[in-house]
Amino acid sequence: MGASQQEQGPLRVALLGCGVVGSEVARLLTQQSADLASRVGAPLELVGIAVRDASAPRPLAESVDRSLLTEDAEGLVTRADIVIEVMGGIEPARSLLLRAIEAGAAVVTANKALLAEDGPTLYKAADTAGVDIYFEAAVAGAIPIVRPVRESLAGDHVRRILGIVNGTTNYVLDQMASTGMSFDDAVKQAQDLGYAEADPTADVEGFDAAAKAAILASLAFHTRVSLEDVAREGITAITADDVAWAAQTGHVIKLLAIAEAVTGDDGAHGVSVRVHPALVPLTHPLAGVRGAFNAVFVEADAAGELMFYGRGAGGSPTASAVLGDVVSAARHRVLGGKGPEESIYAALPILPASTAVTRYQVRLAVDDRPGVLAQVAQVLASKGVSIEAVRQPSEPSDGTQGDGPTGVAHLVITTHAAAEAALAATVDAIAVLEPVREITSVLRVEGA
Ligand code: HSE
């Protein structure tokens, strides 16, 4: 035991929430108390665990004293040095954190929805009170990504972040790719395994990923980005056929959270933040992220390319990130100093997703007769969109014939990079060509 630890009394830690993550935080705080005390320089004393119903049965490690459970969250946050919030939701989490900050406590939260919706209120309150606010667990669970972007890369210039930040959707897409199963069957399997909620909307419609994208974009671009700034598209329209086609063209479909520096039509610099499914080339490191794992790929001017990989959800992985934050905040209490404040000096405009430069892969069914491909190519040329590849499969994966009695041919056109607005206009113009029967799918290609 070091000298400072002998002099320093225990730091009081309050826990708000005792679900899958909270119970693991309580377990680690109590079972690893000796190590934590040595790392911090003072013991961490868990002084209470606020829950809605203290008498409800809950699995708690034997090391955790059940008498710590309390329904008085308000009272608890005012008698703590560090308040951990893992209850989720906007209220009462926001009010309790604000109350804790007002009372002088450092706060650690895993609440991505709250930070994406109203983070600035909390950051401002913490800055005014001169206390720490840490939130590593709010993005990609166990993966250290908030601290690297907020601190380790603070001397660099981030150009782009591409993240697989939702494990449920990555599991669903991975199952579709590896077994050929439908979207609905893959979601059902994810629910059976406990990855997906009974109502999977937040995951499959991209809301969860969008909240994380907003948090990462704010940190990376020193600009306030909230959930409503994020252009969002989920994976519900992805078919087994899309996934099979992705494989045939050397890609895999991933739900990506993207935050990148972009230049608007007027030459002004801004940020594009979006969540959507995209084709990722099999050669890109993100393509190898399987199952429910998460990964965040960062491109920075000086650092170059970085990738952070690991478990994005679950009790222990998320608790690991929470505990790391608790140790940081506790060290400041013992040794002095403070974590970073909100950095929004750049105040870049959030530009529409149509400003982003991307590539499209368009699948379409056309009349199978001479000159049709030339007509389609002419539209692309007229919009200034360059073609990277055209494939005309003889046997598309949907089992229909590419040519023959139906007189229908299937084309797969992959473009070179162009502004999203030009690509979208091109697809609209192709769709109304007389020999075009159907645009089967349009997917962006990212990470090339
Ligand atoms: N539901 C999220 C996921 C975990 O599937 O990754 C919590 O953000």
Side-chain angles (χ1 to χ4, degrees):
M1 192 180 276
S4 62
Q5 190 176 331
Q6 286 166 6
E7 291 153 18
Q8 174 79 42
L11 292 170
R12 296 159 300 167
V13 179
L15 180 58
L16 306 178
C18 195
V20 175
V21 177
S23 54
E24 274 300 288
V25 170
R27 181 181 72 80
L28 291 173
L29 270 173
T30 48
Q31 285 182 2
Q32 300 185 4
S33 59
D35 279 338
L36 291 169
S38 298
R39 292 172 196 179
V40 166
L44 299 180
E45 185 194 350
L46 183 57
V47 293
I49 307 172
V51 291
R52 238 193 320 251
D53 178 1
S55 60
R58 65 189 74 246
L60 261 185
E62 273 182 21
S63 58
V64 182
D65 178 356
R66 281 180 176 264
S67 70
L68 291 174
L69 293 168
T70 173
E71 293 170 15
D72 179 18
E74 275 268 344
L76 177 61
V77 298
T78 56
R79 55 187 172 88
D81 298 299
I82 300 170
V83 172
I84 303 168
E85 186 268 309
V86 287
M87 62 202 305
I90 306 300
E91 285 294 349
R94 173 173 45 201
S95 301
L96 289 170
L97 286 174
L98 288 171
R99 185 78 192 90
I101 290 167
E102 202 181 287
V107 296
V108 172
T109 176
N111 196 330
K112 67 214 141 243
L114 174 55
L115 294 177
E117 182 174 303
D118 199 16
T121 300
L122 293 170
Y123 306 141
K124 197 159 171 256
D127 294 347
T128 304
V131 298
D132 281 335
I133 177 163
Y134 281 111
F135 46 92
E136 184 60 71
V139 182
I143 303 176
I145 185 62
V146 168
R147 191 172 273 96
V149 174
R150 196 185 191 196
E151 301 183 45
S152 318
L153 290 167
D156 206 332
H157 186 247
V158 173
R159 282 198 306 269
R160 182 151 82 139
I161 293 180
L162 293 179
I164 296 171
V165 293
N166 183 267
T168 303
T169 45
N170 203 54
Y171 178 83
V172 166
L173 292 169
D174 190 39
Q175 279 300 105
M176 290 173 77
S178 55
T179 69
M181 69 170 58
S182 70
F183 170 78
D184 288 341
D185 286 347
V187 169
K188 170 86 178 53
Q189 198 173 88
Q191 284 168 326
D192 290 346
L193 288 169
Y195 294 137
E197 307 278 340
D199 176 359
T201 309
D203 292 321
V204 298
E205 294 292 1
F207 290 103
D208 175 78
K212 295 164 181 169
I215 295 169
L216 286 181
S218 306
L219 299 172
F221 295 102
H222 304 272
T223 291
R224 273 192 185 151
V225 180
S226 71
L227 187 58
E228 63 198 26
D229 295 318
V230 184
R232 179 194 48 78
E233 194 184 305
I235 62 164
T236 50
I238 300 295
T239 64
D241 206 34
D242 291 329
V243 171
W245 259 109
Q248 288 199 38
T249 59
H251 298 89
V252 63
I253 299 178
K254 298 290 186 191
L255 181 70
L256 294 184
I258 303 175
E260 65 181 344
V262 290
T263 306
D265 293 340
D266 56 0
H269 296 299
V271 182
S272 163
V273 192
R274 54 196 199 273
V275 168
H276 57 68
L279 294 164
V280 175
L282 290 172
T283 49
H284 192 280
L286 286 174
V289 179
R290 306 287 308 272
F293 276 82
N294 284 195
V296 184
F297 190 80
V298 181
E299 298 168 19
D301 278 352
E305 295 176 348
L306 304 160
M307 187 153 109
F308 303 81
Y309 171 87
R311 293 191 188 279
S316 297
T318 310
S320 164
V322 168
L323 264 289
D325 282 352
V326 169
V327 168
S328 294
R331 282 175 173 159
H332 289 148
R333 292 279 152 150
V334 173
L335 299 169
K338 193 181 156 305
E341 301 199 339
E342 185 186 25
S343 173
I344 49 168
Y345 75 91
L348 293 168
I350 313 298
L351 298 181
S354 57
T355 328
V357 170
T358 185
R359 295 165 62 212
Y360 270 14
Q361 188 177 91
V362 185
R363 288 195 294 128
L364 61 162
V366 297
D367 289 345
D368 191 16
R369 54 181 159 80
V372 173
L373 180 56
Q375 253 184 288
V376 172
Q378 176 53 36
V379 172
L380 283 131
S382 70
K383 302 281 181 195
V385 174
S386 170
I387 297 173
E388 189 238 15
V390 179
R391 295 168 182 87
Q392 183 174 351
S394 55
E395 283 198 28
S397 54
D398 63 4
T400 59
Q401 291 298 303
D403 47 22
T406 60
V408 179
H410 296 266
L411 300 177
V412 183
I413 300 172
T414 311
T415 73
H416 280 300
E420 164 104 22
L423 290 167
T426 306
V427 173
D428 289 347
I430 291 173
V432 297
L433 289 177
E434 187 268 325
V436 173
R437 298 197 179 185
E438 184 192 14
I439 303 281
T440 320
S441 96
V442 180
L443 283 167
R444 299 172 188 86
V445 184
E446 298 285 350

